[in-house]
């Protein structure tokens, strides 16, 4: 087999395209392949498909292709242009690459697979391309995926905020709780940040929303009320966020008590911060010995902790009525605890109670978006933080968007 025929087959080129020349540069470790076509060929206009005679050719262009063994491989061709009565002079579609791409679609597919497994820097090293080139492939993949995405109803949403970088820049994330995908990322955590998601939906998509899990965050509540029909029956204040607020209250009690104890030389609470924050059943065994006397003692922190742990039981009830009864008993206990941070947290939850109890209708939590959150945390770490929040968003969509990222490839014979 001649080298041109070998590469025609490897590249999967079909008529009218063929390989005209192959050059191997051993010293540079590269293979250059030229594609050409027969004279007098007619080409479809890329816009309307009308078959037209060749008008001219553009300058020779070069596309990086999959390596031939250890040799970098480049495809060269002069793309033909046609003159369409309606669309003017246009470059025809090439079977091996998307418009304006510098890589063949097969190379891009490989690059996307590598990028999904590692960060941009790692992918660039493995693929022997620059950081900018790898980043570009990722960016194009996200754009491609978003354009191909058909509007669909997402019945269960999770709304959450995410710190984008140091200095408290926030992003608003909207997740599909069933598919575990990030559907939308808005700047900041204001009402308008979330509005951006809803205003991009069709009426049917908005009507199809059944439940939204979120934190008790006023701007989000206002956005949902303004944008989602029947919002008050659909919002569920997420149990993990609520327990987060209680955890903070316990921690504040601990800090104050620790300060007071230390002032009289008592180190009882030293180094105990995290012991109080675990759910009781999640406390690692190695801490049990230390924690048992602490929680059984007469510390204010121990009381705050017991109140927090009792709140957790709320979500175990099967019916709203039973949960409500538990809440009333708990609320009385918490508000008579003489522990200010606990009382404040209890009152905040009380004010939002109707949409805490909607849990028993919808049974949704933000646990999924918490999982996505940790994935996003990894993305952030791998990139050593994103100075450009737009880049951070692109990376989130790439890894968590559930998008169809790949370019369409031409069929490979055989
Ligand atoms: Zn046309």
């Amino acid at each position: 087999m001649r080298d041109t025929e070998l590469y025609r087959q490897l590249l999967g080129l079909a008529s009218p395209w063929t390989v005209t020349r192959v050059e191997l540069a051993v010293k540079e470790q590269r293979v250059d392949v030229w594609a050409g076509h027969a004279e007098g060929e007619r080409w479809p206009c890329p816009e309307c498909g009308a078959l037209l005679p060749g008008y001219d050719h553009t300058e020779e262009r070069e596309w990086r292709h999959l390596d031939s063994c250890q040799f970098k491989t480049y495809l060269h061709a002069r793309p033909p242009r046609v003159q369409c009565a309606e669309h003017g002079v246009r470059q025809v579609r090439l079977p091996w690459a998307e418009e304006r791409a510098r890589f063949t679609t097969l190379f891009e597919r490989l690059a996307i697979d590598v990028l999904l497994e590692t960060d941009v820097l790692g992918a660039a090293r493995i693929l022997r391309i620059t950081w900018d080139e790898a980043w570009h492939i990722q960016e194009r993949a996200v754009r491609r995926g978003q354009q191909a995405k058909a509007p669909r109803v997402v019945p269960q949403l999770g709304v959450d905020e995410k710190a984008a970088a140091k200095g408290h820049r926030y992003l608003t994330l909207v997740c599909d709780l069933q598919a575990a995908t990030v559907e939308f990322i808005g700047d900041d955590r204001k009402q308008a940040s979330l509005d951006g998601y809803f205003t991009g939906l069709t009426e049917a998509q908005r009507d199809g929303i059944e439940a939204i899990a979120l934190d008790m965050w006023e701007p989000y509540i206002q956005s949902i009320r303004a944008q989602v029909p029947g919002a008050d029956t659909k919002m569920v204040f997420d149990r993990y966020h609520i327990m987060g607020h209680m955890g903070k209250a316990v921690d504040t009690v601990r800090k104050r008590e620790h300060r007071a104890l230390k002032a009289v030389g008592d180190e009882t609470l030293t180094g105990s911060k995290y012991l109080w924050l675990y759910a009781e059943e999640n406390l690692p065994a190695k801490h049990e010995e230390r924690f048992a006397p602490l929680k059984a003692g007469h510390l204010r922190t121990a009381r705050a902790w017991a109140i927090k742990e009792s709140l957790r039981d709320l979500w175990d009830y099967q019916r709203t009525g039973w949960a409500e009864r538990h809440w009333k008993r708990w609320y009385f206990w918490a508000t008579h605890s003489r522990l200010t941070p606990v009382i404040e947290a209890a009152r905040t939850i009380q004010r939002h109670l109707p949409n805490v109890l909607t849990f028993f209708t919808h049974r949704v939590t933000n646990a999924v978006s918490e999982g996505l959150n940790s994935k996003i945390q990894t993305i952030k770490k791998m990139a050593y933080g994103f100075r450009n929040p737009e880049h951070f968003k692109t990376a989130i969509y790439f890894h968590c968007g559930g998008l169809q990222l790949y370019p369409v490839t031409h069929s490979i014979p055989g």
Side-chain angles (χ1 to χ4, degrees):
M1 190 187 271
R2 294 187 49 197
D3 54 0
T4 50
E5 178 57 15
L6 174 69
Y7 268 93
R8 190 188 69 74
Q9 299 252 10
L10 290 177
L11 290 163
L13 288 185
S15 170
W17 290 100
T18 184
V19 171
T20 55
R21 182 155 63 104
V22 178
E23 271 179 24
L24 173 69
V26 178
K27 212 170 137 219
E28 288 83 34
Q29 299 250 305
R30 64 181 274 166
V31 179
D32 288 276
V33 182
W34 280 263
H37 60 84
E39 294 283 308
E41 191 58 42
R42 292 168 77 81
W43 309 91
C45 164
E47 209 67 49
C48 64
L51 265 188
L52 301 161
Y55 174 73
D56 66 359
H57 291 84
T58 67
E59 292 278 284
E60 183 178 299
R61 291 191 50 203
E62 180 186 283
W63 295 264
R64 170 86 184 272
H65 188 57
L66 298 172
D67 293 351
S68 308
C69 300
Q70 73 276 34
F71 289 14
K72 282 188 187 174
T73 301
Y74 294 87
L75 179 62
H76 302 255
R78 296 185 62 195
R81 300 202 300 172
V82 289
Q83 187 174 30
C84 174
E86 209 184 327
H87 299 103
V89 176
R90 300 288 300 266
Q91 186 192 305
V92 307
R93 285 219 178 91
L94 301 169
W96 58 80
E98 285 189 338
E99 220 185 328
R100 284 191 291 274
R102 296 161 64 192
F103 303 93
T104 65
T105 44
L106 283 174
F107 185 92
E108 280 201 49
R109 285 185 78 97
L110 170 70
I112 289 165
D113 284 338
V114 175
L115 281 160
L116 283 169
E117 297 293 331
T118 179
D119 62 343
V120 176
L121 187 62
R125 280 191 193 136
I126 292 168
L127 296 162
R128 299 190 284 175
I129 57 180
T130 66
W131 191 97
D132 280 339
E133 287 170 329
W135 176 259
H136 238 83
I137 290 173
Q138 178 163 314
E139 216 169 30
R140 283 163 61 88
V142 167
R143 215 177 309 133
R144 185 184 297 123
Q146 283 175 330
Q147 276 163 6
K149 192 173 176 177
R152 65 186 172 92
V153 170
V154 181
Q156 296 187 351
L157 294 173
V159 178
D160 215 341
E161 61 178 45
K162 183 83 207 155
K166 281 170 208 154
H168 292 288
R169 275 204 56 147
Y170 284 95
L171 296 176
T172 294
L173 264 61
V174 180
C175 307
D176 178 336
L177 292 180
Q178 286 164 323
T181 51
V182 173
E183 293 296 304
F184 172 85
I185 309 168
D187 289 312
D188 221 322
R189 47 173 179 170
K190 299 182 180 140
Q191 186 172 344
S193 320
L194 184 53
D195 284 347
Y197 172 67
F198 295 119
T199 52
L201 300 182
T202 64
E203 210 180 314
Q205 282 178 300
R206 264 196 239 202
D207 290 344
I209 298 170
E210 290 166 13
I212 307 172
L214 72 153
D215 190 10
M216 302 174 287
W217 178 247
E218 209 50 37
Y220 291 164
I221 297 168
Q222 292 311 327
S223 170
I224 293 168
R225 284 212 173 114
Q227 306 283 348
V228 180
D232 283 320
T233 61
K234 296 175 180 177
M235 277 188 282
V236 180
F237 294 126
D238 172 57
R239 59 188 290 184
Y240 295 100
H241 279 113
I242 291 171
M243 289 311 296
H245 290 290
M246 274 312 292
K248 261 181 219 151
V250 174
D251 198 46
T252 310
V253 172
R254 177 199 58 83
K255 267 189 250 168
R256 289 178 189 169
E257 190 171 32
H258 182 44
R259 211 177 303 136
L261 288 175
K262 254 175 77 172
V264 296
D266 185 337
E267 295 283 344
T268 307
L269 283 172
T270 301
S272 70
K273 174 173 177 170
Y274 292 99
L275 303 180
W276 304 103
L277 299 181
Y278 284 109
E280 192 171 16
E281 64 273 20
N282 295 339
L283 183 78
K286 61 179 175 188
H287 297 311
E288 268 165 27
E289 207 178 317
R290 161 111 205 261
F291 194 55
L294 277 181
K295 72 176 182 192
H298 295 284
L299 294 159
R300 295 167 72 77
T301 312
R303 233 166 355 107
W305 172 84
I307 295 170
K308 175 199 71 160
E309 284 304 301
S310 167
L311 177 60
R312 193 185 306 284
D313 297 338
L314 180 76
W315 289 277
D316 292 338
Y317 287 94
Q318 291 304 309
R319 277 185 287 180
T320 319
W322 289 101
E324 228 166 331
R325 233 162 294 170
H326 177 84
W327 170 260
K328 279 184 184 145
R329 277 195 308 270
W330 183 89
Y331 186 68
F332 184 85
W333 183 20
T335 48
H336 288 76
S337 65
R338 283 169 288 120
L339 303 165
T340 317
V342 171
I343 295 168
E344 279 166 9
R347 288 198 178 136
T348 304
I349 304 166
Q350 169 70 24
R351 274 201 305 280
H352 294 90
L353 191 65
N355 290 90
V356 175
L357 298 176
T358 45
F359 171 81
F360 298 97
T361 315
H362 299 297
R363 299 208 169 256
V364 291
T365 74
N366 251 333
V368 168
S369 31
E370 289 300 309
L372 282 174
N373 245 329
S374 66
K375 200 168 166 188
I376 291 164
Q377 204 54 37
T378 312
I379 295 168
K380 203 157 105 177
K381 254 187 240 153
M382 286 203 304
Y384 307 106
F386 283 87
R387 263 156 295 167
N388 181 340
E390 293 306 313
H391 282 193
F392 188 31
K393 285 192 212 168
T394 299
I396 296 172
Y397 282 128
F398 184 79
H399 290 278
C400 310
L403 298 170
Q404 161 50 49
L405 299 166
Y406 299 105
V408 179
T409 45
H410 58 297
S411 56
I412 306 293

